[in-house]
Amino acid sequence: MSSKTVFRVALRGEELLNNPRFNKGTAFTVTERKAFGLTGRLPSKVNTLDEQCERAYQQLQNRDSDIRKNSFLQSLKNQNMVLYYTLLTRHLRELIPVIYTPTEAEAIANYSHLFRRSEGLYLTFPDQDSMEQDFLEQTKGKDIDLIVCSDSEAILGIGDQGVGGIGISSAKSVIYSLIGGINPAQTLSVVLDVGTNNEDLLQDHLYVGWRNKRIRGEEYDKFVDKFVQLVRKYIPQCLLHFEDFGVTNAQALLRRYRGTHAVFNDDIQGTGAVTLSCVMAAVGVTKSKLSEQRYIIYGAGSAGLGIARQLRDAIVSTDSMPKNEASALFYLIDKHGLIKQSLGKANIRDDLEEFVRPDEEWAEVKENGAGEIGLLETIRKIKPTILIGCSTHAGAFNEEIIKAMADGCDRPIILPLSNPSKLVEVDPKDANDWTQGKALLATGSPFPPAKMPNGKDYIIAECNNALIYPGLGFGAIITKSREMTDTMIIAGARRLASLSPALKDPDDALLPDFADAPEVNFEVAVAVAEQAVEEGSANVTWKKEEAREKVRQHIWRPIYGEYVYDKDGMA
Ligand SMILES: NC(=O)C1=CN([C@@H]2O[C@H](COP(=O)(O)OP(=O)(O)OC[C@H]3O[C@@H](n4cnc5c(N)ncnc54)[C@H](O)[C@@H]3O)[C@@H](O)[C@H]2O)C=CC1
Ligand SMILES: CC(=O)C(=O)O
Ligand SMILES: [Mg+2]
């Protein structure tokens, strides 16, 4: 869209001012004000977008806490979409933490108390008879490219948040538009309200969701299936993004639908991809190969297993190592300690099977009172080169753990990825200090730089799936791929790794800065599109060489168009 783009718009007066997609507020021109019945509804001054942005930024600064800034931005989004995205684009680095992790976690946890206005599509279990109608109300006549949905069971690291999970669907959609360039008018955020097991919410008389225990089993599967089949029937070309489901459902839904629709689980695949990029950059610094590492993954849920599989698959394809040998490089630790045979079926999910350690390997190692092998014992025995945290266990990587990592190798790669910031397994500043600057670090939420022993700043890369999923999604959407294949994801991860600042300067950040996320995701989208065309996943007639131009042409940017009144125009 350029500033000269002309839109034929059917809305007038209040209706136009109340529609965030078309509202320009004081930026409506004199001609538009006359044509749309706005002259008496606005103060006389016509502002530029720059002036509106300056004013909005000042108003934002007057909010004295991040959660109040989050609420302000939420209101702005509901008033004027172009202004909202322009403001975010101009202050990207500063405002991403306000609209995403960590602040969005607080907004979601307080959803019912902060509630002012609905957003997106609420599909509630007892209302399932009207699901088709409810779905069509919000999708009919719209050219939806992307649906982000959550059932809110595992929101960031803060667990079950019931209907408040609409906040993560919305935040992830915003990131798609802001960083990935997907037109926000072509996205839909959905919450599947199947109840909640969060007692605080169930006891809260202001809770706005369905006050019922979480539905499980067949009833749950049927409800979700009804939704997925509506997506397949009415919007077969759209990408369906699953966010923050509980681990069992997350894995099962991905397995069930990935062969028949372009579905994507961000916590499994997005996190796997960004972590692969980060680890590729880190082993570039240590001048070693992926297959030469020993990996501990602390927290074997959606993210942990997604990361293990993604790294393992990359080892197989990059270093030509057989799959079973590559799997054997991984040591997964969960609530019951190291995942080894003797934990038994009751404590090991089926999907972890390929990473279960044999008991004999640990015969000499001292177990704790509960018969478990802990993180410290595992580190001491295997001397890992890489430690990844996705456990929600704040502070789990204490000084003893970090020092044990540094005892076992020269440059330990330590990635405490749990969100929000307060749940991080170790503050990166501490990990840096305890290893005298030797650790190569990245976190899931933003952290300030640490000081190297030579006094220089060490930038803590943000290893968050938001650095890659917008590009992965855009690449799949633009190629109309009916499946998001593993090879498309790996192509995106490789491209991201190739942009690592640490490749040029080993003391620099492992991943690009979030301020550069739009350019980075453009590259990721191009790589994914090229791969989709090359491997035949794409449903387009253009060639791989055209991918860059196609992505460029389709990127949405927040710019006001010129409006002409037309009673049959857009509404
Ligand atoms: N940086 C990023 O891009 C991402 C970060 N995450 C973060 O990772 C964390 C986990 O997310 P999910 O995998 O979606 O949740 P999940 O609930 O699927 O997995 C968490 C796992 O950690 C285990 N765990 C809990 N306490 C533990 C302890 N004391 N010791 C060892 N294991 C323990 C749980 O049993 C579970 O298996 C969250 O904080 C989330 O915000 C998740 C996705 C992306
Ligand atoms: C980043 C993300 O997806 C999470 O923390 O769940
Ligand atoms: Mg998530």
Side-chain angles (χ1 to χ4, degrees):
M1 202 205 302
S2 85
S3 56
K4 295 268 188 327
T5 307
V6 175
F7 290 112
R8 312 199 81 77
V9 179
L11 301 171
R12 292 188 87 256
E14 289 300 318
E15 266 195 318
L16 181 55
L17 293 178
N18 287 331
N19 185 311
R21 181 175 170 201
F22 295 111
N23 180 29
K24 298 191 205 176
T26 55
F28 279 112
T29 63
V30 171
T31 314
E32 287 169 336
R33 291 174 188 216
K34 284 185 184 152
F36 289 91
L38 300 175
T39 308
R41 290 188 160 97
L42 290 165
S44 65
K45 169 83 180 168
V46 175
N47 282 129
T48 61
L49 181 54
D50 284 346
E51 287 165 342
Q52 287 183 312
C53 224
E54 184 185 339
R55 181 188 301 124
Y57 190 62
Q58 277 178 11
Q59 292 169 350
L60 182 74
Q61 296 310 312
N62 290 336
R63 270 64 185 176
D64 55 8
S65 65
D66 282 348
I67 190 67
R68 295 194 67 216
K69 289 182 180 173
N70 176 291
S71 298
F72 172 81
L73 289 168
Q74 183 68 19
S75 296
L76 187 61
K77 181 165 65 150
N78 292 330
Q79 288 160 23
N80 182 333
M81 206 181 254
V82 168
L83 177 54
Y84 170 76
Y85 280 104
T86 305
L87 185 68
L88 292 182
T89 303
R90 293 187 184 179
H91 303 276
L92 199 63
R93 204 168 194 290
E94 176 187 346
L95 297 184
I96 282 191
V98 178
I99 56 147
Y100 185 50
T101 181
T103 315
E104 187 56 24
E106 194 181 342
I108 292 170
N110 293 294
Y111 182 75
S112 293
H113 291 262
L114 296 172
F115 184 85
R116 285 196 221 165
R117 201 177 154 151
S118 58
E119 50 180 329
L121 176 59
Y122 299 76
L123 295 176
T124 309
F125 186 79
D127 298 333
Q128 57 185 298
D129 287 348
S130 65
M131 189 193 282
E132 184 159 7
Q133 194 185 329
D134 298 339
F135 182 84
L136 290 174
E137 284 284 344
Q138 291 205 41
T139 56
K140 207 166 176 186
K142 290 188 184 158
D143 200 3
I144 303 279
D145 274 339
L146 167 76
I147 294 180
V148 181
C149 73
S150 180
D151 79 348
S152 320
E153 192 178 357
I155 297 292
L156 300 163
I158 58 170
D160 186 343
Q161 297 300 327
V163 75
I166 189 74
I168 201 65
S169 300
S170 294
K172 293 274 177 176
S173 292
V174 166
I175 299 271
Y176 266 113
S177 301
L178 184 65
I179 291 178
I182 294 179
N183 186 341
Q186 291 173 241
T187 67
L188 178 69
S189 315
V190 179
V191 66
L192 301 171
D193 186 354
V194 291
T196 177
N197 290 349
N198 182 329
E199 276 305 319
D200 290 344
L201 297 183
L202 290 171
Q203 301 302 325
D204 182 351
H205 72 286
L206 287 183
Y207 179 58
V208 290
W210 183 43
R211 199 182 295 268
N212 200 85
K213 286 275 182 197
R214 210 163 251 287
I215 298 297
R216 301 273 186 208
E218 207 178 318
E219 281 187 306
Y220 171 92
D221 289 343
K222 278 191 178 157
F223 180 74
V224 178
D225 191 58
K226 192 165 179 175
F227 163 65
V228 175
Q229 298 315 330
L230 287 174
V231 175
R232 294 187 60 206
K233 179 173 167 189
Y234 291 108
I235 326 179
Q237 81 294 347
C238 88
L239 176 69
L240 179 55
H241 172 129
F242 292 106
E243 187 69 41
D244 291 354
F245 284 68
V247 59
T248 309
N249 290 325
Q251 301 283 349
L253 294 173
L254 185 60
R255 245 193 335 265
R256 193 170 307 146
Y257 296 115
R258 81 175 297 202
T260 52
H261 192 94
V263 296
F264 173 71
N265 184 299
D266 187 32
D267 299 290
I268 300 171
Q269 297 167 294
T271 316
V274 74
T275 309
L276 171 59
S277 307
C278 190
V279 169
M280 279 176 161
V283 300
V285 174
T286 59
K287 300 202 183 330
S288 53
K289 292 177 168 178
L290 291 175
S291 56
E292 290 166 356
Q293 314 304 314
R294 289 172 303 281
Y295 302 81
I296 291 188
I297 297 187
Y298 186 75
S302 302
L305 184 56
I307 291 168
R309 285 199 181 138
Q310 189 70 78
L311 288 167
R312 189 269 320 275
D313 293 349
I315 293 168
V316 172
S317 63
T318 311
D319 297 350
S320 306
M321 189 180 246
K323 190 170 170 183
N324 61 336
E325 282 180 39
S327 298
L329 300 174
F330 291 81
Y331 298 77
L332 271 52
I333 296 181
D334 207 82
K335 274 185 190 149
H336 300 290
L338 180 73
I339 297 188
K340 62 181 180 67
Q341 279 165 341
S342 58
L343 284 189
K345 284 267 174 209
N347 292 315
I348 305 178
R349 294 193 318 273
D350 289 348
D351 52 22
L352 293 172
E353 202 176 337
E354 52 196 346
F355 296 107
V356 177
R357 306 302 311 187
D359 284 336
E360 319 72 271
E361 188 181 82
W362 299 88
E364 309 294 312
V365 179
K366 196 165 171 286
E367 295 174 336
N368 66 18
E372 299 161 355
I373 307 280
L375 176 58
L376 187 60
E377 290 70 36
T378 312
I379 294 175
R380 283 188 177 144
K381 177 172 162 68
I382 68 161
K383 302 199 185 335
T385 53
I386 302 187
L387 172 63
I388 299 173
C390 33
S391 64
T392 72
H393 180 185
F397 302 169
N398 59 26
E399 187 168 353
E400 202 176 12
I401 296 286
I402 296 293
K403 286 191 165 158
M405 283 296 295
D407 282 347
C409 66
D410 283 348
R411 303 287 320 260
I413 297 164
I414 301 176
L415 314 179
L417 301 185
S418 283
N419 298 321
S421 327
K422 64 180 181 189
L423 295 184
V424 72
E425 283 84 1
V426 61
D427 186 318
K429 177 189 174 302
D430 291 336
N432 178 71
D433 290 350
W434 294 332
T435 59
Q436 281 90 43
K438 285 184 175 168
L440 295 164
L441 298 162
T443 50
S445 295
F447 278 86
K451 275 271 175 263
M452 304 281 280
N454 62 10
K456 281 196 348 203
D457 275 353
Y458 178 62
I459 307 290
I460 308 299
E462 199 178 330
C463 180
N464 189 297
N465 48 32
L467 197 58
I468 197 166
Y469 79 72
L472 295 177
F474 200 108
I477 290 169
I478 193 139
T479 53
K480 301 188 190 328
S481 296
R482 288 289 160 85
E483 201 183 330
M484 170 86 89
T485 61
D486 289 338
T487 34
M488 286 160 67
I489 294 173
I490 289 198
R494 281 191 204 291
R495 188 65 59 91
L496 173 56
S498 76
L499 301 172
S500 163
L503 290 184
K504 289 196 187 125
D505 173 0
D507 288 339
D508 209 335
L510 291 175
L511 289 169
D513 195 288
F514 257 75
D516 300 324
E519 293 77 21
V520 166
N521 275 276
F522 173 81
E523 288 300 328
V524 170
V526 171
V528 172
E530 286 171 349
Q531 177 64 30
V533 172
E534 185 172 304
E535 72 184 25
S537 299
N539 277 294
V540 289
T541 48
W542 42 268
K543 298 198 170 54
K544 180 183 167 189
E545 293 67 34
E546 295 172 76
R548 183 168 291 274
E549 196 43 39
K550 292 288 175 195
V551 172
R552 200 187 306 281
Q553 282 167 5
H554 281 82
I555 283 184
W556 175 87
R557 293 282 179 241
I559 301 168
Y560 288 136
E562 190 183 313
Y563 296 174
V564 173
Y565 183 72
D566 178 348
K567 69 177 175 31
D568 299 317
M570 296 191 285

